Amino acid sequence: VAVPPAFLADVVAVVGPAHALVDHGVVASYETDWTGRFVGRAPAVVRPSSTAEVAGVLAVCREHGVAVVPQGGNTGLVGGSVPLHGEVVLSLRRLTALQAVDVDAGQVTAGAGVSVADVQSAAARAGWAYGVDLASRESATVGGTVATNAGGIRVLRYGDTRAQVLGVEAVLGTGAVVSHTGGLLKDNTGYHLPSLLCGSEGTLGVVTAVRLALVPPDPARAVALLAFDRPAAAVTAANELRRTLRPLSAAELFTDDGLSLVTRHFGLARPFPGSYGAYLLVESSAASDPTDELAAAVRSLGGVADVAVAGTPGQAAALWRLREAHTEAINALGAPHKLDVTLPAAALGEFVERVPGLVRGLAPGARCFLFGHAADGNVHVNVTGLGPDDETVDGAVFELVAASGGSISAEHGIGAAKRRWLHLARTDAEIATFAAIKGALDPDRVLNPHVLLPEPS
Ligand SMILES: Cc1cc2nc3c(=O)[nH]c(=O)nc-3n(C[C@H](O)[C@H](O)[C@H](O)COP(=O)(O)OP(=O)(O)OC[C@H]3O[C@@H](n4cnc5c(N)ncnc54)[C@H](O)[C@@H]3O)c2cc1C
C-alpha cells in the first residue's frame, strides 16, 4: 500500500515528522483489531494532537484523495478501526486534554483520546460519576465511544453513550470544524449534531472533544450471582428485576460454557459447587446499602437454583471478573466472530436457547459462547473455530435476529463485519438517507469509506 510522496510531506508539515509514522514495525501495531480477526495494511499512521491539526490532516487527505480510518483505543469489535483497504490510520490518542470538571453542572469536556477510565476517575475526584462503563475502559477512548455509541454495563441505569453527550467538537469530512460544547441542558437551536455523530463510526466526522454529562455517584453496592437451570429463566429474572429492584444497576448473563472457560483460563474458583445452565450477575447500587432490597427482590424471583452473595468489595470484584473476563478468555481460543445482537425482551430467552443448536448445525467444529447485558435485551454471540472470512454462521444468526424483531448490532456498530447485513436492520429508504448524509458531510469519501454503508453503486 502506498500514498503519494507529496501527501506525506504535506502531512509532516501539519503534525511534524515524529507523528507521521511510516516504519512498518511501528505502523503494524495499528493494523490489527483487538480480536485479531481483522488485519489491514496502512501506508502511514498520523497522530495529530489538536483539532486544528486534525483539520489540517483532513485537508491534505482531501487534496490528495487519500482516505483515513480514525482510530482511538482500537478496542472496537467490528473491524471499523483498522485499515482493511490500505487507508492511512488517523490515531486520535494524542487528543488527551481533559478539562476540570464543572462541579456545579456535573459536566466535563474531554479530548477524544482520553480513556473512559480517566473520565471516570476525574468525575469521581470531583464527587460525580460517569454513567458509561465497559470492560475495555482502560483503552477505549471518549472519541471511540461516541463514534460507536458504546453501551456497556450501565445502560440499564444511565442509557448509552449518546445519552451522556451534551456537545461535540468535530472536524467533518467537508473540512468544517463544528463545535458546540457549552453544555446547556436546554438548547433547541436546530439539528442535534452530537446525536448524528454518535454511532457514525468515523464516517461523517472526526470527533476531537466531547462535553459529557456526569451522574450522581452511588457509592453503596450489593452484588450477587444467581444460578438458573436454563438461560430463558435467567432472562425472565432479569426482566422481573427491572420492575422489582429500583436500584438495579447491572444484570449480566452468561452460561456454563463461558464460566468454565473463564475459570480454567484464569485459574479462578468456580462460584458454586455445582454447574447450572445459566448465571445472572446482579448489581444494585444506591446512596446507602442496597443489600436488603436486593435480597428481597431475589427471594421473590422464581427459578433461582443457587445464589452467591458478595460479602466484601473483593468478593464483588471476583464475581464481576467471572463476567468481564469472558472477552479475553474467548479471544485466547483464536479470533472469534462476535455478533452483538439485541432482541425484544420477550424474545431474548428463546433466542439464547436456540443459538447454540443453530451454530452446531452449521459448523460442528465451532464453539459458541453467549453472554451479555440481559436487561437491555443484548446478548453477545461469540463463535470460535471459524475462519475469519467464513460468514455462514454470522448470516444465519443475523437472519434469526431479524426474524425475531431484533437488531444486528446492540452496541458495537456495523463496521466492516456486518456491512452486508445492514439491510436486515434498516429499510432501503433509511440506507438511502444515510448515504445522502454521508455525501453531504464527507463528499470526497476520505472518512472510513469502507465501513457501515454499502459501497456506492
Ligand atoms: C474487553 C472488551 C469489552 C468491551 N465491552 C464493550 C461493551 O460492554 N459495550 C460496548 O459498547 N462496547 C464494548 N467493547 C467494544 C469497544 O470497547 C467499544 O466499541 C469502544 O467504544 C471503542 O472505543 P475505541 O476508542 O477503542 O475506538 P476504536 O476501536 O479505535 O474505533 C471504533 C470506531 O470508532 C471510530 N473512531 C474512533 N475514534 C474516533 C474519533 N475520535 N472520531 C471519529 N471516529 C472515531 C473508528 O473509526 C471505528 O469505526 C468492548 C471491547 C473489548 C475489547
Side-chain angles (χ1 to χ4, degrees), residues 50-301:
S50 64
T51 302
E53 285 190 7
V54 172
V57 172
L58 292 188
V60 173
C61 289
R62 287 201 316 283
E63 189 187 328
H64 292 279
V66 170
V68 296
V69 172
Q71 188 182 92
N74 198 17
T75 66
L77 298 173
V78 288
S81 54
V82 286
L84 300 180
H85 295 82
E87 300 91 337
V88 164
V89 172
L90 182 68
S91 170
L92 286 317
R93 267 183 272 176
R94 290 179 68 225
L95 296 170
T96 51
L98 181 56
Q99 289 180 13
V101 170
D102 178 338
V103 178
D104 294 331
Q107 299 178 6
V108 68
T109 300
V114 175
S115 71
V116 169
D118 284 346
V119 173
Q120 292 172 339
S121 304
R125 283 194 301 274
W128 286 91
Y130 182 44
V132 172
D133 194 18
L134 64 182
S136 52
R137 58 184 76 79
E138 300 289 339
S139 305
T141 62
V142 165
T145 51
V146 169
T148 58
N149 186 30
I153 56 183
R154 304 272 177 250
V155 171
L156 167 64
R157 175 71 75 86
Y158 303 116
D160 54 16
T161 297
R162 181 181 277 121
Q164 329 301 319
V165 174
L166 294 167
V168 158
E169 179 169 280
V171 184
L172 304 180
T174 54
V177 176
V178 291
S179 183
H180 198 73
T181 56
L184 296 174
L185 291 182
K186 303 186 87 172
D187 183 10
N188 283 348
T189 51
Y191 302 138
H192 196 241
L193 295 179
S195 288
L196 185 59
L197 290 167
C198 280
S200 63
E201 301 189 41
T203 61
L204 302 179
V206 175
V207 174
T208 56
V210 185
R211 183 72 170 178
L212 295 166
L214 304 176
V215 298
D218 278 327
R221 285 198 310 163
V223 176
L225 187 67
L226 317 184
F228 297 85
D229 289 332
R230 297 177 50 174
V235 170
T236 303
N239 290 337
E240 179 74 2
L241 288 171
R242 283 176 53 220
R243 189 173 61 81
T244 57
L245 185 57
R246 192 172 281 271
L248 181 68
S249 50
E252 298 286 313
L253 172 79
F254 47 93
T255 67
D256 202 58
D257 289 339
L259 176 66
S260 300
L261 178 76
V262 165
T263 50
R264 267 201 311 276
H265 183 75
F266 291 102
L268 303 175
R270 288 185 65 92
F272 301 110
S275 297
Y276 297 93
Y279 305 91
L280 192 66
L281 179 81
V282 178
E283 184 187 89
S284 180
S285 43
S288 56
D289 188 0
T291 305
D292 290 347
E293 274 171 287
L294 175 68
V298 169
R299 270 197 302 275
S300 71
L301 288 174

Side-chain angles (χ1 to χ4, degrees), residues 408-433:
I408 63 169
S409 175
E411 50 181 20
H412 297 160
I414 297 297
K418 299 181 208 159
R419 226 177 150 198
R420 54 181 279 215
W421 291 288
L422 183 61
H423 67 277
L424 290 177
R426 295 295 189 162
T427 62
D428 289 349
E430 285 175 311
I431 294 172
T433 305

